[in-house]
Amino acid sequence: MNNGNSNTANEDLVPGLANILVTGGAGFIGSNFIRYAFAKTDFKGTIVNYDKLTYAGNLLNLTDIEEKFGGKNYFFERGDILDYEKVKQVVTKFKINIIVHFAAESHVDRSIFGPKDFVETNINGTFNLIEVSRQLWTGRSDVRFHHISTDEVYGSLGDTGFFYETTSYDPRSPYSASKAASDHLVRAYYHTYGLPVTISNCSNNYGPCHFPEKLIPLVILNALEGKPLPVYGDGKNVRDWLYVEDHCEAIWMILNKGIAGETYNIGGECEKKNIEVVREICSVLERLCPAKDNPALRTLNAARSRMDQSGELQSYQDLITFVTDRPGHDRRYAINCDKIKNELGWTQRHDFENGLKDTIAWYLNNADWVKNVRSGEYAKWIEKNYIRRS
Ligand code: NAD
Ligand code: DAU
């Protein structure tokens, strides 16, 4: 490891040939990243997916990768990032020289109900990983720890302005506070021990394999089943949406060209109010799978007329329901990503209209995946989160 504060590229680091440990690789972005590395780059190295398989982790996200590369240059290791000895053993066994750290508790609403897991996994888990890296990588110049973080660490914006890499941290939820703490630890390891780290802070992702506790997949699946589409508060909170594959490409570019010690903001430059997002989903669904032909809505209308409830549901929009707001709900996020564009040459390839169409098509074509993730624990969460909002 280089020891000092000078920002240098690791010249001995060749990500295309590396042994990469992806933590949280069975989750939404981690699984898309593994697929991206194998399918869209010249990657010839090895990927080890290290995942605890919490409710959010799902090996179905990677069945194609397992079939093609499993046991050759793709390996799955079930484990907790809080388990120091296991992490150390896996990093040693597979001669890991890059860690891409996605594993986290990621859902803001869950952090409001139960912050403890967020502190443990996001802060202590990250601490374990950088400690293992520090212990095992001392003296090496072919190593890199890339930490995946979020725009939420910067807090909440008013109607104008953007988050820059230099914006002061101001996290407002237990989730974003735990991510902020982990960012600080990772950065401290660069300055104190010379651990070659990079950090990226990304805006809201959407795309295939997104767990349906999050707004976009939740609304798609609820609409198809004729369930209410819950919009928190006045629906005017703004998020900056990025198609997940564009995020994966940005991470790949940071591994290849990013400078140790640097932070890169990644964003969609696509600000939308939540209510606009929900309406756009309804419009796309109306084209792909019209409400009037949807058996779930027809059954619902029949039941409403039997119960003498007026107003037949004509379209998916009629399912939109404003519900009690999220406590401490950040009003607006907007990322300025000029740095990664200018310094590494990254840009978004997907616009929201096409990305959303592809995402909805993916959910329509993957009924088995949907059935699997919505069984068991998921149903309990939906009841817990939405029952108190109605
Ligand atoms: P996710 O919840 O879909 O997946 C998290 C994965 O981590 C799951 O596979 C889970 O099993 C695993 N995991 C959780 N705790 C673990 C532990 N203790 N040990 C090992 N594995 C564990 O999350 P995601 O949406 O894919 O987010 C991935 C990362 O990207 C997170 O760090 C998140 O903070 C960050 N991020 C997400 C978004 C977004 O819009 N989803 C945007 C910016 C940044
Ligand atoms: O900004 C990046 C962050 O984006 C990531 O760090 C998080 O891991 C990820 O979960 C996401 O956080 P959000 O809280 O922005 O995502 P979520 O999909 O939960 O909510 C998006 C917006 O929609 C938010 O303003 C809350 C609102 N919402 C959400 C749900 C689940 C609703 O109005 N209704 C809902 O039912």
Side-chain angles (χ1 to χ4, degrees):
M1 290 187 314
N2 63 342
N3 196 3
N5 296 342
S6 61
N7 290 5
T8 49
N10 296 45
E11 275 158 21
D12 299 332
L13 184 73
V14 187
L17 299 173
N19 298 324
I20 304 180
L21 185 79
V22 174
T23 70
F28 165 46
I29 309 177
S31 62
N32 275 285
F33 176 75
I34 292 173
R35 178 165 302 97
Y36 175 83
F38 280 118
K40 302 253 164 127
T41 75
D42 57 0
F43 181 66
K44 301 266 182 317
T46 295
I47 289 183
V48 181
N49 173 6
Y50 186 87
D51 199 300
K52 181 181 172 183
L53 297 183
T54 67
Y55 77 91
N58 185 354
L59 290 179
L60 285 182
N61 292 349
L62 288 162
T63 37
D64 55 332
I65 299 296
E66 181 63 51
E67 270 166 29
K68 253 178 134 170
F69 303 101
K72 289 179 260 176
N73 49 354
Y74 169 74
F75 299 88
F76 174 69
E77 288 278 340
R78 186 169 192 175
D80 193 327
I81 57 170
L82 286 160
D83 184 344
Y84 180 89
E85 288 307 325
K86 169 105 189 180
V87 171
K88 194 171 173 189
Q89 180 227 317
V90 171
V91 171
T92 306
K93 175 176 161 196
F94 290 96
K95 300 186 170 51
I96 296 297
N97 63 322
I98 292 181
I99 295 177
V100 185
H101 175 34
F102 293 94
E105 288 294 337
S106 70
H107 191 36
V108 175
D109 292 320
R110 286 188 193 253
S111 82
I112 294 166
F113 277 103
K116 191 163 183 273
D117 286 348
F118 288 73
V119 170
E120 284 177 351
T121 287
N122 300 359
I123 305 178
N124 298 340
T126 302
F127 167 69
N128 254 339
L129 291 169
I130 49 175
E131 257 304 279
V132 169
S133 310
R134 178 169 86 91
Q135 298 292 337
L136 295 181
W137 288 351
T138 300
R140 290 179 60 174
S141 55
D142 63 335
V143 290
R144 174 64 61 86
F145 186 95
H146 182 68
H147 179 59
I148 309 292
S149 191
T150 169
D151 59 358
E152 301 201 7
V153 298
Y154 298 123
S156 179
L157 291 165
D159 290 343
T160 57
F162 295 93
F163 296 137
Y164 295 85
E165 285 83 357
T166 49
T167 301
S168 299
Y169 276 28
D170 184 20
R172 311 292 189 93
S173 73
Y175 163 70
S176 54
S178 68
K179 292 296 290 186
S182 67
D183 292 11
H184 288 318
L185 274 172
V186 170
R187 213 167 271 124
Y189 270 55
Y190 169 75
H191 289 290
T192 308
Y193 304 112
L195 184 71
V197 308
T198 39
I199 298 178
S200 51
N201 293 83
C202 190
S203 64
N204 284 63
N205 286 214
Y206 67 100
C209 305
H210 204 180
F211 193 80
E213 63 191 353
K214 310 281 166 61
L215 180 70
I216 288 185
L218 180 94
V219 166
I220 297 170
L221 299 180
N222 276 18
L224 288 170
E225 290 191 348
K227 292 182 178 160
L229 310 182
V231 176
Y232 295 168
D234 64 3
K236 292 187 182 149
N237 299 64
V238 173
R239 295 294 182 264
D240 171 6
W241 293 96
L242 178 70
Y243 192 66
V244 63
E245 193 177 286
D246 288 339
H247 185 186
C248 297
E249 183 169 28
I251 297 164
W252 188 249
M253 288 179 107
I254 294 169
L255 293 179
N256 278 277
K257 300 198 240 170
I259 304 293
E262 291 292 314
T263 293
Y264 299 90
N265 275 357
I266 307 168
E269 297 179 299
C270 171
E271 288 183 51
K272 289 197 179 283
K273 294 189 179 86
N274 292 335
I275 187 67
E276 292 170 343
V277 170
V278 174
R279 291 214 170 100
E280 282 187 57
I281 295 171
C282 291
S283 312
V284 177
L285 279 174
E286 214 56 70
R287 288 198 298 277
L288 294 180
C289 184
K292 68 176 174 35
D293 302 331
N294 180 330
L297 271 88
R298 284 214 301 265
T299 311
L300 198 65
N301 276 331
R304 283 167 76 92
S305 93
R306 271 199 308 279
M307 290 188 303
D308 251 2
Q309 282 181 349
S310 60
E312 185 168 296
L313 300 168
Q314 307 277 358
S315 71
Y316 292 112
Q317 309 260 1
D318 296 338
L319 295 167
I320 294 174
T321 309
F322 288 89
V323 298
T324 309
D325 210 352
R326 172 186 281 175
H329 195 176
D330 289 338
R331 192 62 173 170
R332 174 172 165 259
Y333 302 145
I335 277 274
N336 176 294
C337 49
D338 288 352
K339 179 175 171 179
I340 190 168
K341 287 186 153 183
N342 295 335
E343 293 184 11
L344 306 189
W346 173 83
T347 193
Q348 309 89 351
R349 292 181 192 269
H350 298 82
D351 61 29
F352 191 70
E353 195 186 338
N354 288 305
L356 188 64
K357 253 193 274 164
D358 290 351
T359 303
I360 293 178
W362 188 87
Y363 283 90
L364 289 170
N365 292 329
N366 285 276
D368 287 346
W369 184 94
V370 169
K371 197 169 165 213
N372 177 281
V373 299
R374 296 178 98 199
S375 58
E377 198 276 347
Y378 178 76
K380 282 191 223 141
W381 163 251
I382 293 297
E383 196 176 312
K384 186 170 173 188
N385 190 40
Y386 293 98
I387 210 92
R388 72 191 173 107
R389 292 184 193 273
S390 48

